[in-house]
Amino acid sequence: MSSTQALADFAHALANGAITVIDLTQTLSEDTPLLVLPEPFGQTAAFSREEISRYDDRGIAWHWNNFTVGEHTGTHFDAPIHWVSGKDLPDNSVDQVPVSKLIGPAFVLDFSAECAADPDFLLTADHIGDWEAAHGAITPGSWVLFRTDWSKRDTEAYTNRREDGAHTPGPATDAIRFLIEERNIMGFGVETIGTDAGQAHLLTPPYPAHTLLHGAGKYGLQCLENLDKLPATGAILIAPPLKIRDGSGSPLRVLALVAE
Ligand code: MN
């Protein structure tokens, strides 16, 4: 099949519904839950907006707003420059990430039952090995999406903050090492606010997803939803962040293409 034919077939499949588009994005609003760091660290800004006009004296026929938001608020992309381990890599900011890397196959690892039983569940390399035995090996250049069903929780249960910080699932260090070194993934996406577990400051190294993924030039996606609507293998993920000069990340729309 020629490349031209492949695109024509793709357009036809989109038009006739053989391929559907799934939105993996949280709605961004003033209510979007935020990551909260302990004192004395700086905090990401909540989404806020001011109305410029809404078909009124300030603009008789048009509606528009100015908005303020952190680079890491709501459904968002993490670029390698976000972490100190990736600060000297080439093409490490959102404006420099090669566009060919913003679309790729998705492997969806469903550990929602384990996470329901244990909010501090850590995905290990052994868990991934078991998953691959059932579904096949994760291919190079892929997004690995960690399904926890966390996006189905209300805000309090979603952030799950206690005296000692957030209690939310994430990857163990050996899982991240395996995905980088043995599978050469493109990135790791989660439903929770961070790619790391809520208690990942206690792991070695602390925050292994951020430290190791970004140090290896890999990307992160956070605050995804609708992962339960994706097949374990076969979906294509589209995740282009805003082109912010030297930006460490950005809110974005994340889409998945799924064959019916
Ligand atoms: Mn982030």
Side-chain angles (χ1 to χ4, degrees):
M1 183 171 59
S2 73
S3 304
T4 304
Q5 187 60 44
L7 275 180
D9 290 347
F10 174 67
H12 184 66
L14 273 177
N16 71 16
I19 291 174
T20 56
V21 185
I22 309 286
D23 192 353
L24 306 186
T25 321
Q26 284 183 2
T27 298
L28 187 58
S29 79
E30 289 79 353
D31 301 323
T32 296
L34 302 175
L35 183 72
V36 176
L37 298 182
E39 295 290 333
F41 300 121
Q43 305 294 341
T44 190
F47 178 87
S48 63
R49 71 188 117 186
E50 58 168 5
E51 192 174 83
I52 306 170
S53 71
R54 191 154 185 153
Y55 332 118
D56 53 27
D57 293 349
R58 301 166 300 170
I60 53 172
W62 48 94
H63 166 47
W64 56 348
N65 302 309
N66 291 317
F67 67 80
T68 298
V69 72
E71 291 177 330
H72 298 261
T73 295
T75 300
H76 71 275
F77 185 100
D78 280 4
I81 201 174
H82 178 43
W83 218 252
V84 64
S85 53
K87 74 181 179 62
D88 296 321
L89 293 178
D91 302 331
N92 60 354
S93 54
V94 283
D95 56 321
Q96 298 295 325
V97 171
V99 291
S100 62
K101 297 196 168 186
L102 304 180
I103 177 167
F107 289 79
V108 183
L109 281 54
D110 178 10
F111 286 86
S112 54
E114 290 81 354
C115 295
D118 177 11
D120 293 309
F121 175 76
L122 292 179
L123 178 74
T124 66
D126 282 346
H127 291 129
I128 297 173
D130 293 344
W131 185 91
E132 288 191 326
H135 299 283
I138 294 163
T139 53
S142 297
W143 281 99
V144 170
L145 305 180
F146 179 36
R147 180 180 159 197
T148 57
D149 282 355
W150 224 250
S151 60
K152 298 177 180 177
R153 294 175 156 231
D154 64 30
T155 301
E156 193 173 333
Y158 180 77
T159 55
N160 210 27
R161 283 186 202 113
R162 298 181 202 156
E163 290 270 299
D164 60 348
H167 287 263
T168 57
T173 302
D174 71 346
I176 292 296
R177 282 199 200 286
F178 175 80
L179 292 174
I180 295 169
E181 295 168 11
E182 305 297 328
R183 293 295 177 264
N184 194 21
I185 62 167
M186 185 116 75
F188 187 74
V190 300
E191 296 177 53
T192 46
I193 293 182
T195 50
D196 273 298
Q199 295 290 301
H201 55 285
L202 302 175
L203 301 179
T204 307
Y207 307 107
H210 284 87
T211 302
L212 301 175
L213 287 169
H214 299 325
K218 312 300 187 189
Y219 314 123
L221 288 171
Q222 286 113 116
C223 305
L224 298 173
E225 59 182 34
N226 289 330
L227 296 189
D228 58 325
K229 297 187 171 69
L230 302 183
T233 66
I236 300 289
L237 196 77
I238 304 171
L242 296 178
K243 199 170 180 179
I244 302 167
R245 183 184 299 147
D246 204 36
S248 74
S250 105
L252 79 170
R253 196 75 179 251
V254 181
L255 304 178
L257 303 177
V258 175
E260 288 298 295

